């Protein structure tokens, strides 16, 4: 699709040039994250949320806009672009409703007549503090500042939102790394971007998923690496920008497993056997998966890291039967140029908390307290697990069979009742122990300085389905309770995290707050009576941002300045773009450094 820059605008914008007050010289607006009330209700809000967004994306979107205007407007013949614009407007709003002389003058000018002052990218900024301000540099183009609102809002809001959410993931992982003694360097790859296929198109994915790279280096969005190299001065040959490892998908896995199964079934048939029972069929299919995994890790990728999706049929069978039989091959793997020698197991279905960590086993005291509370109300059994002092695990099942006195009564030979719970001795299955513990039982590992267990370097786990910030918190908490370090799992962060948001997640809005008419400065603001005292109430006049003693950015409104004072008088809002050229640039490494320092 070849976008035409003059058409990348809301339909009500083109007539506004004629609607501004006569003799308007300059217009001034800002981008602000106005409210986090929707984010507070989301699964991306961590326990550490402090109402600050991560500022990222301005340099990229300004470069994109510059390229779009240059390619589709300034580099094209004037007659052609004006004819194209007039054709669209005449047939959209009505013949002659939108004059073309403004764009004729803009084409003659040959560049974008705006100046943008912004906070440094990578900063964490409180709600209701402007992230950038924008105004025209030539009085003839007072209308152009407002004309760019649509495209700049369209491009920037998701980058800020995704950078903020990525940082929330990182804060959670950093907290648990400190608590469980995990290597802090591992966090760079512990959050892995799986979102590309689920976002709003290839270009949107490259742009918005680059925000993930402000907090992490793990990504499956290759185009995002291109984006930060093209627009943020990154260089994969000189710095650690991003990485991944070879990995299977279900199409590859099932193609191999079922091909191997087909061959074995043909041999079975040729030997004159009756059709195999379901039990034998499933064992044969598991053998087919074992042959595939062995070929992959010894022939196709004999060194370095390799990730295997293992839930095509029987995930727990793979963990308890296939991988133990391949123990020698896995433990013999050598490191490659990435420094890895790891076989990474990937479940891709079920409840990620339960799959990774297993069921939560309480103390007897906690379990008895929980059994005093009302059980499930939907007719389903509620199950609790707890461990006695001698190590015996007990299973308590509430099937809504309340005993007369609610105390301990004689029950079936295999158990007894406490309130409505049937209490039985229990041996935890592999599924109930969870993937990390099952892998530990086979491959072992080490105990770090904080007395938490770390899987052997030859084996790992990644889970990339249904991960959220809140589930990440629960996964880390459960692992710690089982005395496993947080670094035992990598989490794939998908489009539910990075696409299931809107501009309203943080109330991102570009609003005009000042205008100069015939040399007179007019403060602009709005305060809708129908909204009350909400985020719809705008800032007013010229804006200045300073940092206070705690390092927070704070806003001062209605500043006594003129348009000629803004570049030097706006505090932390510094010039980054003027008349089509960058006056200041930032690199990805600088963004990361600033964000880490926060």
């Amino acid at each position: 699709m070849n976008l035409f820059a003059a058409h990348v605008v809301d339909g009500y914008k083109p007539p506004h040039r004629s609607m501004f007050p006569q003799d308007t010289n300059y217009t001034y607006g800002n981008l602000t994250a106005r409210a986090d009330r929707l984010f507070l209700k989301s699964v991306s809000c961590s326990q550490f949320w402090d109402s600050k967004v991560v500022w990222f994306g301005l340099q990229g979107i300004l470069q994109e806009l510059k390229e779009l205007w240059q390619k589709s407007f300034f580099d094209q013949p004037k007659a052609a672009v004006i004819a194209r614009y007039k054709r669209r407007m005449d047939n959209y709003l009505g013949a002659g409703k939108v004059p073309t002389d403004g764009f004729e003058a803009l084409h003659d000018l040959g560049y974008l007549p705006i100046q943008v002052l912004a906070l440094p990218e990578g900063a964490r900024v409180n709600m209701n503090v402007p992230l950038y301000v924008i105004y025209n540099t030539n009085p003839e183009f007072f209308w152009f500042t407002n004309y760019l609102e649509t495209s700049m809002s369209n491009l920037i809001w998701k980058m800020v939102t995704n950078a903020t959410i990525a940082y929330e993931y990182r804060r959670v992982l950093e907290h648990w790394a400190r608590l469980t003694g995990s290597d802090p360097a591992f966090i760079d790859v512990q959050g892995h971007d799986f979102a590309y296929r689920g976002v709003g198109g290839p270009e949107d994915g490259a742009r918005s998923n680059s925000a993930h790279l402000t907090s992490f280096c793990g990504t499956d969005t290759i185009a995002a690496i291109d984006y930060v190299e093209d627009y943020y001065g990154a260089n994969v040959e000189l710095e650690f920008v991003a990485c991944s490892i070879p990995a299977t998908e279900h199409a590859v896995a099932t193609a191999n497993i079922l091909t191997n199964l087909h061959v074995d079934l043909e041999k079975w048939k040729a030997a004159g056997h009756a059709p195999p029972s379901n039990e034998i069929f499933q064992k044969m299919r598991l053998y087919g998966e074992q042959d595939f995994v062995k070929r992959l890790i010894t022939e196709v990728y004999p060194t370095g890291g390799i990730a295997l999706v293992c839930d095509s049929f029987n995930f727990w069978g793979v963990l308890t039967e296939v991988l133990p039989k391949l123990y020698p091959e896995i433990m013999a793997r050598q490191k490659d140029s990435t420094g890895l020698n790891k076989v990474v197991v990937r479940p891709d279905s079920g409840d990620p908390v339960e799959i990774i960590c297993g069921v939560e086993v309480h103390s007897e005291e906690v379990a008895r307290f929980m059994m005093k509370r009302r059980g499930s109300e939907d007719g389903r059994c509620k199950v609790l697990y707890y461990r006695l002092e001698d190590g015996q695990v007990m299973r308590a099942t509430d099937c809504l069979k309340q005993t007369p006195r609610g105390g301990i009564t004689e029950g079936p030979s295999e158990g007894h009742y406490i309130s409505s719970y049937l209490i039985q001795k229990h041996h935890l299955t592999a599924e109930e122990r969870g993937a990390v513990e099952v892998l530990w039982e086979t491959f072992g590992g080490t105990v770090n300085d904080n007395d938490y267990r770390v899987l052997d370097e030859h084996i790992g786990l990644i889970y990339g389905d249904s991960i959220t910030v809140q589930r990440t918190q629960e996964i880390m908490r459960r692992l710690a309770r089982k005395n496993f370090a947080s670094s035992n799992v990598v989490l794939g962060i998908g489009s539910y995290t990075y696409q299931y948001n809107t501009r309203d997640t943080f109330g991102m809005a570009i609003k005009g707050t000042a205008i100069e008419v015939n040399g007179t400065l007019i403060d602009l603001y709005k305060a809708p009576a129908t909204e009350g005292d909400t985020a719809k109430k705008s800032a007013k006049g010229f804006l200045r941002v300073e940092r206070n003693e705690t390092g927070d950015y704070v806003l001062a409104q209605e500043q006594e300045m003129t348009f000629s004072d803004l570049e030097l008088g706006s505090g932390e809002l510094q010039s980054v773009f003027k008349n089509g050229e960058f006056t200041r640039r930032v690199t990805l490494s600088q963004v990361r450094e600033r964000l880490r320092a926060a």
Side-chain angles (χ1 to χ4, degrees):
M1 182 177 183
N2 294 316
L3 291 174
F4 180 46
H7 292 168
V8 184
V9 64
D10 287 318
Y12 71 158
K13 290 287 189 182
H16 288 178
R17 178 170 171 266
S18 302
M19 298 181 187
F20 275 101
Q22 290 185 356
D23 299 320
T24 297
N25 308 126
Y26 296 96
T27 56
Y28 171 96
N30 73 93
L31 170 71
T32 299
R34 299 179 297 176
D36 60 355
R37 62 181 182 274
L38 294 181
F39 183 70
L40 287 168
K41 301 174 184 177
S42 78
V43 293
S44 294
C45 184
S46 82
Q47 68 192 84
F48 306 109
W49 177 244
D50 53 359
S51 297
K52 296 179 182 178
V53 296
V54 173
W55 175 223
F56 175 71
L58 179 64
Q59 181 170 286
I61 69 119
L62 286 173
Q63 183 68 41
E64 286 192 75
L65 286 173
K66 178 181 176 179
E67 292 171 358
L68 176 61
W69 280 93
Q70 196 66 44
K71 177 184 176 181
S72 69
F73 187 81
F74 294 121
D75 286 349
Q76 301 303 314
K78 179 179 177 179
V81 296
I82 298 305
R84 182 175 183 180
Y85 183 70
K86 180 174 173 54
R87 174 179 179 271
R88 177 64 68 238
M89 293 302 118
D90 283 355
N91 288 278
Y92 176 61
L93 293 172
K97 297 291 185 181
V98 180
T100 62
D101 56 331
F103 276 111
E104 291 176 31
L106 181 64
H107 194 279
D108 292 339
L109 185 68
Y111 59 83
L112 302 178
I114 57 169
Q115 181 154 13
V116 180
L117 313 179
L119 298 181
E121 295 195 46
R124 300 188 64 245
V125 185
N126 293 78
M127 295 291 115
N128 290 305
V129 174
L131 301 165
Y132 74 71
V133 297
I134 181 173
Y135 52 95
N136 57 294
T137 57
N138 184 321
E140 186 176 356
F141 302 99
F142 65 88
W143 55 274
F144 194 61
T145 304
N146 204 44
Y147 202 89
L148 289 177
E149 177 193 343
T150 304
S151 55
M152 293 188 73
S153 174
N154 175 282
L155 291 167
I156 197 70
W157 73 261
K158 192 187 288 187
M159 298 184 78
V160 175
T161 302
N162 288 356
T164 303
I165 294 173
Y167 186 70
E168 290 302 289
Y169 273 101
R170 186 171 183 103
R171 296 172 92 182
V172 171
L173 295 174
E174 285 182 344
H175 169 77
W176 288 101
R178 287 191 295 269
L179 184 68
T180 64
S182 294
D183 181 1
F186 179 72
I187 301 170
D188 286 344
V189 297
Q190 193 171 14
H192 195 97
D193 171 23
F194 276 1
Y196 196 32
R197 68 184 57 191
V199 295
E203 295 84 1
D204 174 64
R207 180 186 309 112
S208 63
N209 289 23
S210 71
H212 175 85
L213 296 177
T214 60
S215 283
F216 297 105
C217 297
T219 185
D220 263 32
T221 306
I222 297 174
I225 309 173
D226 294 338
Y227 192 90
V228 294
E229 283 203 319
D230 290 345
Y231 297 139
Y232 280 91
N235 188 329
V236 297
E237 296 173 319
L238 301 177
E239 60 186 312
F240 184 21
V241 176
C243 70
S244 189
I245 60 174
T248 64
E249 66 174 5
H250 287 105
V252 170
T254 56
N256 280 273
I257 296 166
L258 297 178
T259 296
N260 292 342
L261 175 63
H262 173 76
V263 172
D264 290 343
L265 287 173
E266 289 298 307
K267 291 179 181 177
W268 178 278
K269 181 179 179 181
H273 298 304
S277 65
N278 183 57
E279 181 180 357
I280 293 176
F281 177 86
Q282 291 191 40
K283 284 186 175 296
M284 292 175 71
R285 190 172 62 195
L286 203 58
Y287 294 150
E289 188 158 1
Q290 179 179 321
D291 290 343
F292 163 54
V293 172
K294 183 176 182 179
R295 181 177 75 86
L296 200 63
I297 67 174
T298 60
E299 300 176 26
V300 182
Y301 290 105
T303 63
I306 175 70
L308 310 171
V309 62
C310 296
D311 73 329
S312 297
F313 300 105
N314 184 357
F315 175 71
W316 300 108
V318 172
L319 262 61
T320 59
E321 297 185 48
V322 171
L323 296 183
K325 291 176 182 176
L326 296 175
Y327 177 89
E329 290 83 355
I330 293 173
M331 297 300 286
R333 289 181 69 82
Q334 299 298 308
K335 295 181 180 180
D336 64 3
S337 62
T338 67
L340 295 176
N341 55 354
K342 193 185 297 288
V343 172
V344 180
V345 177
R346 179 164 76 92
D348 196 48
S349 52
D351 182 334
V353 179
E354 300 286 328
I355 297 293
I356 295 168
C357 306
V359 297
E360 186 157 23
V361 181
H362 304 281
S363 67
E364 183 177 8
E365 180 182 10
V366 169
R368 285 181 178 270
F369 173 77
M370 295 174 71
M371 282 186 274
K372 293 178 182 178
R373 303 168 66 182
R374 288 190 65 183
S376 58
E377 298 178 353
D378 56 6
R380 294 182 297 177
C381 290
K382 182 178 180 180
V383 181
L384 297 172
Y385 300 85
Y386 63 94
R387 196 181 303 273
L388 303 178
E389 289 186 0
D390 63 4
Q392 173 64 53
V393 175
M394 307 299 290
R395 186 174 189 267
T397 308
D398 177 11
C399 289
L400 303 182
K401 296 177 180 178
Q402 201 76 17
T403 58
R405 291 190 302 273
I408 300 176
T409 67
E410 296 298 322
S413 58
E414 69 273 14
H416 59 273
Y417 283 95
I418 298 178
S419 296
S420 60
Y421 285 85
L422 173 63
I423 311 299
Q424 299 169 295
K425 291 183 177 181
H426 186 70
H427 176 72
L428 294 172
T429 65
E431 185 173 353
E432 290 167 339
R433 298 197 301 279
V436 172
E437 186 169 338
V438 172
L439 291 173
W440 174 268
E441 292 165 357
T442 299
F443 296 96
T446 58
V447 177
N448 66 24
D449 292 341
N450 288 33
D451 292 326
Y452 287 87
R453 293 178 286 179
V454 180
L455 286 169
D456 184 272
E457 66 176 3
H458 294 87
I459 197 73
L461 182 74
I462 184 171
Y463 200 109
D465 180 66
S466 302
I467 297 298
T468 66
V469 171
Q470 293 182 1
R471 278 182 168 159
T472 298
Q473 292 178 157
E474 181 65 4
I475 289 166
M476 296 298 121
R477 184 189 70 82
R478 292 257 200 118
L479 285 177
R481 282 208 66 216
K482 293 164 71 78
N483 285 109
F484 283 106
S486 63
S487 57
N488 283 297
V489 64
V490 171
L491 299 174
I493 303 169
S495 58
Y496 185 83
T497 285
Y498 286 144
Q499 179 70 11
Y500 201 66
N501 302 288
T502 72
R503 186 171 67 92
D504 293 324
T505 298
F506 292 116
M508 300 282 290
I510 300 172
K511 296 298 178 184
T513 60
I515 187 172
E516 183 182 296
V517 180
N518 196 23
T520 300
L521 182 68
I522 308 294
D523 288 347
L524 304 183
Y525 65 97
K526 70 171 187 175
T530 50
E531 284 286 336
D533 190 18
T534 72
K536 290 277 188 178
K537 186 176 180 179
S538 71
K540 183 178 181 181
F542 284 141
L543 311 177
R544 179 181 174 88
V545 176
E546 295 288 0
R547 298 192 77 175
N548 63 17
E549 62 278 1
T550 63
D552 287 338
Y553 291 93
V554 293
L555 168 64
Q557 304 182 48
E558 302 179 70
Q559 295 297 290
E560 294 290 335
M561 291 189 286
T562 66
F563 274 91
S564 60
D565 297 330
L566 291 175
E567 185 171 346
L568 299 179
S570 298
E572 297 293 323
L573 294 165
Q574 297 288 304
S575 177
V576 296
F577 189 84
K578 184 176 183 179
N579 292 335
E581 301 297 334
F582 284 92
T583 56
R584 179 171 304 176
R585 284 190 177 273
V586 65
T587 65
L588 176 66
S589 62
Q590 290 171 331
V591 171
R592 286 174 167 175
E593 183 180 355
R594 186 172 289 121
L595 188 54
R596 300 291 189 277

